[in-house]
Amino acid sequence: MKRLIALSVLSTLLLTACKASGDTIKIGFIGPLTGDAAALGKDILNGTQIAVEEVNANGGINGKQVQIITEDGRCSGSDATNAAQKLINIDHVVAIVGGSCSSETLAAAAVAESAKTIVMSPSASSPDITQAGEYIFRVYPSDAYKTTAMVKLFQERKYKKIALITENNDYAVAIRIGLKEKLLKDMFVLDEVVDLGTKDFRSVITRLKNQQFDVFIPNASQNAVMGEMIKQFREMGFLQPIVTQDVADTADVLQMVGDQENNVWTFNVPDAGKDTVFEKQFDSSYGKPQAGIVWAAYGYDATRVLLSALQQAQDGESLSKNLLNLQEFKGLIGTFHFDENGDVLGIPLALKQYQAGKIVTIKDIPVD
Amino acid sequence: MQLLVNALLAGSLLALVAGGLSLVYGVLGVFNLALGQLALVGGYATWWLTQQMGLPLLLSIPLGAVIGGLVTWASFELAVAPFYRHHRFLPLVTTIALGMMLDAALLLLFEERPRAILSSEKHMIEFFRMRFSLEQALLVCATILFLLATAAVLQRTALGRRIRATAGHPDAARSLGINSSVLHRMLFIGSGVLAALGGIYMGIDQNLTPTLAFSLTIKAYAALIAGGKDNLFGTILMSYVIALLEQLLVGLPWAAGQYLPAGYQSVVALLFIVVVLLIKPSGLFSSHLRIT
C-alpha cells in the first residue's frame, strides 16, 4: 500500500512537472546537422538561435522564455518525419522552424499539417511546398521562379539547345521538372539524372562531344557534386556558357572551379546579412559561417517572423491566420509577407556571374 | 576512346582500394568494412599537409599514406586483432562500428565542405581526340606501377611466398615457422596504405567529402567478389573491367541511338557481381586448389 501511495505521489509530481514546463514556450528546429548538407543546416540553426536569444533577452513571449528543441533531419524525408513526430507529439512544440532541405520540409509538413502545427522553413525551395498545406510557410522563394528566370535568360540570349545533368534529389529534380515544363522537348540535347552523390560525370559528358548545344546546366544539390560537374565539363574542353541554380553560388564551388572561370551564371536569392551587426554577432558567437552568412540570415528571419506572430497567439489556427494577414515584415533578407499559400513575397532573385575568382551580382530580378 | 580514358581513371581508384581488400581477405579471411573511411583518412591527411601546412605535394603524398597506415594499424589493434581469431565474421561488425566512428571524426575534423588536394588548374592534354590532364596521366601511371610493384613483392620475394603460404594454409604455414600474427598485421596495414593512396588519388582527381566512404567500400567489394576472393590480380583486373563497363553502358548509344539513363551507372557493379556469381560462384579468377 505504501508503495502504491509513493507511486501515485511520484506520478502526480511527474504530471505537475510536465505542466510546469508551461513556463517556457517550445519551438522545434529541423535541419541537416550531419551529412552532406550539414554546413548549411548548422548556419541556419545558429541564425535561429541568435533570434531566440534576442527575444529571450527582451523578456521572451508574454513573459515566458522561448526554448528551442533541435532535431537532425539529415536532409532526408524519413529522418524529418521522425523528427516532426517527436517534436509535435512528445515535446509539444507550438511551431517548427525547418526543414532546411525541401525533402525535410515536405515530410515534416505532412505530420505538422494534421497536427495543426506551424512549419516555417528558412530555406526550402521546392515548388511542391506551395501546396503543402495551410500551416506550412517559408521565407525562401519557390524554385518555380528560378526556372522561369532561367528560361527568360535563354530567350534573351537565343539559346536553342540545352544540355542538362541533374543529381537525383527532391531539390534538383524539381528544378529539372520546372525547366521541362517551360521549354520544348527537342531543346534538350542531353537530359540525364544521376545518382545522389555521383562524382564521375566523364562518361555522360563524353556524349556531348558530337553535339551542338548553346548552354550547359549542371543541376546538382550538393557543393561537391556541383563543383565536379562544372570542372569535368571544362576539363573535357567545352567552352559553352554554364547557367545554373544557387548551389553554384557558394565559396566552396567557386574555389573548386578556380579563378580562370568567367562563364558561369547562377540564379539565387540576393546576398543578405553581409557586413551587418548580425554578421558580427554571428562571428563572435559561432565563428565564421560554414556555408555562408546568407543562410544564417534566412534562419534568423524565419525565426523572427515566427516569434513575432507568437507574441499575439500560440495556437496553430490563429498563428496561421496572423501570418497570412501579416502586412510586411522588415527582415535582413528584405521586406516580405506571405501569399495565400504561405509562400514568401517580396524576396527577389539575383543573377550572378563568376568573374576571376569572385561571384558578382549582375542584376536583381523581381518575383511576382 | 575518351571512354577508355575515363575507365582508366575510375578503374585505377577502384583498383587501389580493392587491391588492399583482396590482400586482407585472401590471407586473414576478414572483411574490413571501414576501408572506405581509411581511404578518406589518407586523402584528408594529404589535403591537410598540402593545403594547411604548406608542404610540397610530393612529400605530402607519402606522409599521407603513412598516416593512413598508422590509423589502419590502430584500427587493426582496436577492431580486428582481438576478434578475428574467434570468428572471422566478428570483424564485420566491429569494422562497421569503426567506420561510423571514423566518419564522425572526419566530419568533426574536416567539416562538410568539399576539399581538393590540388588547388591550381589542371594541365589538359589532347591526344588522338582523348582529353585528360597531365595530373590524371601521372596518377594512372603511378597507380599501375605501384600495383605492379605490390604484385612483384607477392610473387618474387621470400616475404611474398610467406604471405601466399599463409593464405593457402595458415596452420601449415605456422608449423613451418612463419610468424602469422606479424604477417597479418603487416598485410592489414599494407591494405590501409593502398586504400589511403586511393583516397589521395580521389582527392587529387576529384574532391573529398566525408560521406563518400561507404559507396567506395561497396564498389571495392564488387571487384573483390567478381575477381575471386583471394586473387589480387583478378581483383585488380575486375576493378578496371567494372569501371569500363560503367563507362560503356552510359557513354555509348545502345539500340537505335538511345542512351541508357545515367542513373543506372552505379547498378553496373552490383549487376556484374550477380552475373559473375551465377557463372562461376567462386569468382572469375579463384582457384579451388588452394583451399582444398
Side-chain angles (χ1 to χ4, degrees), chain A residues 272-289:
Chain A
K274 277 210 179 99
D275 308 318
T276 57
V277 185
F278 172 73
E279 189 179 22
K280 280 203 195 103
Q281 199 184 340
F282 190 98
D283 285 357
S284 67
S285 303
Y286 305 105
K288 286 270 164 240

PDB file of all heavy atoms in Angstrom, chain A residues 272-289:
ATOM      1  N   ALA A 272      22.435  38.358 -48.318  1.00  0.00           N
ATOM      2  CA  ALA A 272      21.836  39.035 -47.169  1.00  0.00           C
ATOM      3  C   ALA A 272      22.738  38.807 -45.978  1.00  0.00           C
ATOM      4  O   ALA A 272      23.426  37.804 -45.888  1.00  0.00           O
ATOM      5  CB  ALA A 272      20.438  38.482 -46.886  1.00  0.00           C
ATOM      6  N   GLY A 273      22.741  39.753 -45.090  1.00  0.00           N
ATOM      7  CA  GLY A 273      23.468  39.572 -43.842  1.00  0.00           C
ATOM      8  C   GLY A 273      24.915  40.004 -43.891  1.00  0.00           C
ATOM      9  O   GLY A 273      25.552  40.121 -42.851  1.00  0.00           O
ATOM     10  N   LYS A 274      25.450  40.236 -45.113  1.00  0.00           N
ATOM     11  CA  LYS A 274      26.871  40.631 -45.185  1.00  0.00           C
ATOM     12  C   LYS A 274      27.075  42.025 -44.602  1.00  0.00           C
ATOM     13  O   LYS A 274      26.282  42.918 -44.825  1.00  0.00           O
ATOM     14  CB  LYS A 274      27.338  40.621 -46.646  1.00  0.00           C
ATOM     15  CG  LYS A 274      27.730  39.226 -47.096  1.00  0.00           C
ATOM     16  CD  LYS A 274      28.819  39.262 -48.164  1.00  0.00           C
ATOM     17  CE  LYS A 274      29.196  37.849 -48.552  1.00  0.00           C
ATOM     18  NZ  LYS A 274      28.536  37.418 -49.787  1.00  0.00           N
ATOM     19  N   ASP A 275      28.174  42.208 -43.858  1.00  0.00           N
ATOM     20  CA  ASP A 275      28.545  43.499 -43.262  1.00  0.00           C
ATOM     21  C   ASP A 275      27.438  44.095 -42.404  1.00  0.00           C
ATOM     22  O   ASP A 275      27.145  45.282 -42.483  1.00  0.00           O
ATOM     23  CB  ASP A 275      28.933  44.518 -44.363  1.00  0.00           C
ATOM     24  CG  ASP A 275      29.984  43.931 -45.289  1.00  0.00           C
ATOM     25  OD1 ASP A 275      30.902  43.276 -44.773  1.00  0.00           O
ATOM     26  OD2 ASP A 275      29.865  44.126 -46.514  1.00  0.00           O
ATOM     27  N   THR A 276      26.762  43.278 -41.618  1.00  0.00           N
ATOM     28  CA  THR A 276      25.729  43.795 -40.718  1.00  0.00           C
ATOM     29  C   THR A 276      26.138  43.507 -39.277  1.00  0.00           C
ATOM     30  O   THR A 276      27.093  42.771 -39.017  1.00  0.00           O
ATOM     31  CB  THR A 276      24.378  43.101 -40.969  1.00  0.00           C
ATOM     32  OG1 THR A 276      24.577  41.695 -40.811  1.00  0.00           O
ATOM     33  CG2 THR A 276      23.848  43.385 -42.354  1.00  0.00           C
ATOM     34  N   VAL A 277      25.381  44.093 -38.362  1.00  0.00           N
ATOM     35  CA  VAL A 277      25.591  43.805 -36.946  1.00  0.00           C
ATOM     36  C   VAL A 277      25.373  42.315 -36.710  1.00  0.00           C
ATOM     37  O   VAL A 277      26.063  41.673 -35.916  1.00  0.00           O
ATOM     38  CB  VAL A 277      24.603  44.632 -36.093  1.00  0.00           C
ATOM     39  CG1 VAL A 277      24.887  44.432 -34.614  1.00  0.00           C
ATOM     40  CG2 VAL A 277      24.682  46.100 -36.468  1.00  0.00           C
ATOM     41  N   PHE A 278      24.385  41.760 -37.430  1.00  0.00           N
ATOM     42  CA  PHE A 278      24.068  40.343 -37.303  1.00  0.00           C
ATOM     43  C   PHE A 278      25.283  39.476 -37.604  1.00  0.00           C
ATOM     44  O   PHE A 278      25.587  38.520 -36.889  1.00  0.00           O
ATOM     45  CB  PHE A 278      22.907  40.008 -38.249  1.00  0.00           C
ATOM     46  CG  PHE A 278      22.620  38.538 -38.347  1.00  0.00           C
ATOM     47  CD1 PHE A 278      22.005  37.852 -37.303  1.00  0.00           C
ATOM     48  CD2 PHE A 278      22.967  37.828 -39.487  1.00  0.00           C
ATOM     49  CE1 PHE A 278      21.750  36.506 -37.391  1.00  0.00           C
ATOM     50  CE2 PHE A 278      22.707  36.483 -39.582  1.00  0.00           C
ATOM     51  CZ  PHE A 278      22.097  35.811 -38.532  1.00  0.00           C
ATOM     52  N   GLU A 279      26.015  39.827 -38.680  1.00  0.00           N
ATOM     53  CA  GLU A 279      27.186  39.032 -39.044  1.00  0.00           C
ATOM     54  C   GLU A 279      28.243  39.090 -37.939  1.00  0.00           C
ATOM     55  O   GLU A 279      28.853  38.084 -37.596  1.00  0.00           O
ATOM     56  CB  GLU A 279      27.785  39.526 -40.368  1.00  0.00           C
ATOM     57  CG  GLU A 279      28.872  38.596 -40.888  1.00  0.00           C
ATOM     58  CD  GLU A 279      29.477  39.049 -42.210  1.00  0.00           C
ATOM     59  OE1 GLU A 279      29.389  40.249 -42.526  1.00  0.00           O
ATOM     60  OE2 GLU A 279      30.034  38.194 -42.913  1.00  0.00           O
ATOM     61  N   LYS A 280      28.424  40.285 -37.377  1.00  0.00           N
ATOM     62  CA  LYS A 280      29.415  40.431 -36.292  1.00  0.00           C
ATOM     63  C   LYS A 280      29.034  39.562 -35.106  1.00  0.00           C
ATOM     64  O   LYS A 280      29.860  38.875 -34.511  1.00  0.00           O
ATOM     65  CB  LYS A 280      29.478  41.900 -35.850  1.00  0.00           C
ATOM     66  CG  LYS A 280      30.325  42.753 -36.769  1.00  0.00           C
ATOM     67  CD  LYS A 280      30.839  43.998 -36.055  1.00  0.00           C
ATOM     68  CE  LYS A 280      31.374  45.011 -37.048  1.00  0.00           C
ATOM     69  NZ  LYS A 280      30.439  46.118 -37.277  1.00  0.00           N
ATOM     70  N   GLN A 281      27.718  39.598 -34.789  1.00  0.00           N
ATOM     71  CA  GLN A 281      27.246  38.820 -33.658  1.00  0.00           C
ATOM     72  C   GLN A 281      27.434  37.331 -33.937  1.00  0.00           C
ATOM     73  O   GLN A 281      27.834  36.563 -33.062  1.00  0.00           O
ATOM     74  CB  GLN A 281      25.766  39.146 -33.436  1.00  0.00           C
ATOM     75  CG  GLN A 281      25.277  38.779 -32.060  1.00  0.00           C
ATOM     76  CD  GLN A 281      23.800  39.034 -31.949  1.00  0.00           C
ATOM     77  OE1 GLN A 281      23.223  39.794 -32.734  1.00  0.00           O
ATOM     78  NE2 GLN A 281      23.162  38.393 -30.998  1.00  0.00           N
ATOM     79  N   PHE A 282      27.145  36.935 -35.181  1.00  0.00           N
ATOM     80  CA  PHE A 282      27.312  35.532 -35.568  1.00  0.00           C
ATOM     81  C   PHE A 282      28.761  35.116 -35.398  1.00  0.00           C
ATOM     82  O   PHE A 282      29.069  34.096 -34.787  1.00  0.00           O
ATOM     83  CB  PHE A 282      26.865  35.341 -37.023  1.00  0.00           C
ATOM     84  CG  PHE A 282      26.779  33.900 -37.450  1.00  0.00           C
ATOM     85  CD1 PHE A 282      25.571  33.228 -37.453  1.00  0.00           C
ATOM     86  CD2 PHE A 282      27.918  33.213 -37.830  1.00  0.00           C
ATOM     87  CE1 PHE A 282      25.501  31.909 -37.828  1.00  0.00           C
ATOM     88  CE2 PHE A 282      27.856  31.882 -38.206  1.00  0.00           C
ATOM     89  CZ  PHE A 282      26.644  31.236 -38.203  1.00  0.00           C
ATOM     90  N   ASP A 283      29.666  35.931 -35.940  1.00  0.00           N
ATOM     91  CA  ASP A 283      31.089  35.600 -35.877  1.00  0.00           C
ATOM     92  C   ASP A 283      31.573  35.471 -34.433  1.00  0.00           C
ATOM     93  O   ASP A 283      32.344  34.577 -34.116  1.00  0.00           O
ATOM     94  CB  ASP A 283      31.918  36.679 -36.596  1.00  0.00           C
ATOM     95  CG  ASP A 283      31.805  36.553 -38.100  1.00  0.00           C
ATOM     96  OD1 ASP A 283      31.141  35.593 -38.549  1.00  0.00           O
ATOM     97  OD2 ASP A 283      32.349  37.400 -38.817  1.00  0.00           O
ATOM     98  N   SER A 284      31.094  36.377 -33.565  1.00  0.00           N
ATOM     99  CA  SER A 284      31.602  36.325 -32.197  1.00  0.00           C
ATOM    100  C   SER A 284      31.006  35.139 -31.439  1.00  0.00           C
ATOM    101  O   SER A 284      31.635  34.603 -30.537  1.00  0.00           O
ATOM    102  CB  SER A 284      31.316  37.639 -31.474  1.00  0.00           C
ATOM    103  OG  SER A 284      29.926  37.782 -31.292  1.00  0.00           O
ATOM    104  N   SER A 285      29.785  34.709 -31.796  1.00  0.00           N
ATOM    105  CA  SER A 285      29.178  33.585 -31.087  1.00  0.00           C
ATOM    106  C   SER A 285      29.603  32.242 -31.667  1.00  0.00           C
ATOM    107  O   SER A 285      29.845  31.286 -30.937  1.00  0.00           O
ATOM    108  CB  SER A 285      27.648  33.661 -31.156  1.00  0.00           C
ATOM    109  OG  SER A 285      27.199  34.869 -30.634  1.00  0.00           O
ATOM    110  N   TYR A 286      29.669  32.129 -32.994  1.00  0.00           N
ATOM    111  CA  TYR A 286      29.821  30.808 -33.615  1.00  0.00           C
ATOM    112  C   TYR A 286      31.013  30.727 -34.560  1.00  0.00           C
ATOM    113  O   TYR A 286      31.253  29.698 -35.168  1.00  0.00           O
ATOM    114  CB  TYR A 286      28.555  30.434 -34.391  1.00  0.00           C
ATOM    115  CG  TYR A 286      27.309  30.481 -33.551  1.00  0.00           C
ATOM    116  CD1 TYR A 286      26.398  31.516 -33.683  1.00  0.00           C
ATOM    117  CD2 TYR A 286      27.071  29.498 -32.600  1.00  0.00           C
ATOM    118  CE1 TYR A 286      25.265  31.571 -32.890  1.00  0.00           C
ATOM    119  CE2 TYR A 286      25.949  29.542 -31.800  1.00  0.00           C
ATOM    120  CZ  TYR A 286      25.042  30.580 -31.953  1.00  0.00           C
ATOM    121  OH  TYR A 286      23.939  30.621 -31.161  1.00  0.00           O
ATOM    122  N   GLY A 287      31.759  31.799 -34.753  1.00  0.00           N
ATOM    123  CA  GLY A 287      32.855  31.776 -35.717  1.00  0.00           C
ATOM    124  C   GLY A 287      32.334  31.982 -37.121  1.00  0.00           C
ATOM    125  O   GLY A 287      31.148  32.263 -37.324  1.00  0.00           O
ATOM    126  N   LYS A 288      33.216  31.851 -38.102  1.00  0.00           N
ATOM    127  CA  LYS A 288      32.803  32.076 -39.488  1.00  0.00           C
ATOM    128  C   LYS A 288      31.734  31.071 -39.911  1.00  0.00           C
ATOM    129  O   LYS A 288      31.827  29.898 -39.566  1.00  0.00           O
ATOM    130  CB  LYS A 288      34.015  31.936 -40.414  1.00  0.00           C
ATOM    131  CG  LYS A 288      34.972  33.103 -40.329  1.00  0.00           C
ATOM    132  CD  LYS A 288      34.608  34.195 -41.333  1.00  0.00           C
ATOM    133  CE  LYS A 288      35.301  35.507 -41.004  1.00  0.00           C
ATOM    134  NZ  LYS A 288      34.405  36.626 -40.750  1.00  0.00           N
ATOM    135  N   PRO A 289      30.702  31.504 -40.649  1.00  0.00           N
ATOM    136  CA  PRO A 289      29.699  30.548 -41.125  1.00  0.00           C
ATOM    137  C   PRO A 289      30.320  29.528 -42.068  1.00  0.00           C
ATOM    138  O   PRO A 289      31.248  29.839 -42.797  1.00  0.00           O
ATOM    139  CB  PRO A 289      28.686  31.428 -41.864  1.00  0.00           C
ATOM    140  CG  PRO A 289      29.395  32.699 -42.142  1.00  0.00           C
ATOM    141  CD  PRO A 289      30.400  32.879 -41.063  1.00  0.00           C
TER     142      PRO A 289
END
